[in-house]
Amino acid sequence: MKKKQYLCALIWIIMSVHTQSSRMTTARLRQMKKEGEKISMLTSYDFTLASLVDEAGVDVLLVGDSASNVVCGNQYTLPITVDEMIFLTRGVVRAAKHALVVADMPFGSYQISEEDGVRNAIKMIKESGCDAVKIEGCEDVLPTIRHIIQAGIPVCGHLGLTPQSVNQFGGYGLRAKEKAEAEKLLHDAKLLDEAGCFCLVLEKIPADLAAKVTAAVSCPVIGIGAGNGTDGQVLVLHDMLGLNHGFKPKFLRHFAHLADEVKAAVGEYINAVKDSSFPNSEESY
Ligand code: KIV
């Protein structure tokens, strides 16, 4: 082989190894569980913030259907559609250089029939470019989850407080406090694990139950309001950045107070416009 061809081949090999090893995969997440390395997951709904979160090194970007609340201002997650989720997910996928991108399948996109669920999962993968989908619940949707996995799409399960069932639960309270519901949740987690889910999200359940589930399944378990005994944690980005003053459940930690900073910056801008100090000569052409 000529020297130039050899060099090109070498560069190609180095680049492809680097690209493969720098992108998070479902296999790597399983490995992290085995090695006891905690997994960080955060929601993201747009290119700009997702770029920052990805650059900071988060393992998984979740385009949650919480976008319905956070982005669209709805009271519940129920109204957001497949096409709206795809629109938001595209921006996050473009931003993700390292993290695995998981998108929520919204309410109504997988409950009607197995065929409908598989079609919508394929549509989300094809049109948004996400790596995997997340689905709430177990019993009623297990055959659909199995079919989606058989179609080659990684599925993240979601048990405990499943916000798409808010009207059935009658609110966002702690789930699985009672023995019967806790036993059912453990059983469901095992079923989802056996069905091949690459990961499970457990939302707002007692910490000891979440730890028990984590030890009982082979796939990584990510908690939100589920204590410290899971394989990783997820929070809604806008909540942990303190962008949402009105929402402070017990499980939420504010890692920043951006609402105050945004308001202060906007206040300064308004004053500068009103007193004509913005733009100055250096900011003008
Ligand atoms: O939609 C969402 O943001 C979620 C997380 C809270 C896990 O499902």
Side-chain angles (χ1 to χ4, degrees), residues 41 43 45 62-67 69-70 77 85 104 134 136 158 161 163 201-203 222-224 234-237 251:
M41 182 191 272
T43 67
Y45 318 103
L62 171 65
V63 190
D65 59 357
S66 51
N69 314 91
V70 176
T77 58
M85 286 300 298
D104 260 332
K134 178 161 80 60
E136 293 184 8
H158 184 158
L161 173 61
V201 165
L202 296 182
E203 182 164 353
I222 313 293
I224 172 165
V234 57
L235 284 175
V236 169
L237 181 67
F251 68 79

Side-chain angles (χ1 to χ4, degrees), residues 7-68:
L7 269 176
C8 285
L10 194 65
I11 290 168
W12 184 84
I13 289 167
I14 291 170
M15 279 178 67
S16 60
V17 166
H18 176 75
T19 313
Q20 277 164 22
S21 61
S22 66
R23 269 312 298 278
M24 181 54 67
T25 61
T26 56
R28 172 81 193 111
L29 292 176
R30 274 188 184 270
Q31 192 62 26
M32 286 168 80
K33 175 176 178 122
K34 277 201 192 123
E35 291 168 3
E37 185 185 344
K38 292 268 184 172
I39 297 165
S40 59
M41 182 191 272
L42 278 173
T43 67
S44 280
Y45 318 103
D46 71 281
F47 176 81
T48 304
L49 280 178
S51 299
L52 296 177
V53 176
D54 185 72
E55 280 166 28
V58 82
D59 298 310
V60 184
L61 287 163
L62 171 65
V63 190
D65 59 357
S66 51
S68 177

Side-chain angles (χ1 to χ4, degrees), residues 86-113:
I86 288 172
F87 172 79
L88 297 172
T89 305
R90 276 190 197 135
V92 175
V93 167
R94 284 184 204 117
K97 301 284 176 280
H98 159 78
L100 188 90
V101 180
V102 182
D104 260 332
M105 291 197 65
F107 176 67
S109 67
Y110 58 93
Q111 291 90 344
I112 294 171
S113 69

Side-chain angles (χ1 to χ4, degrees), residues 239-259:
D239 295 343
M240 60 83 79
L241 290 178
L243 276 165
N244 179 1
H245 267 324
F247 185 65
K248 181 64 185 83
K250 178 177 169 172
F251 68 79
L252 174 63
R253 186 184 297 179
H254 285 147
F255 288 84
H257 300 278
L258 294 194

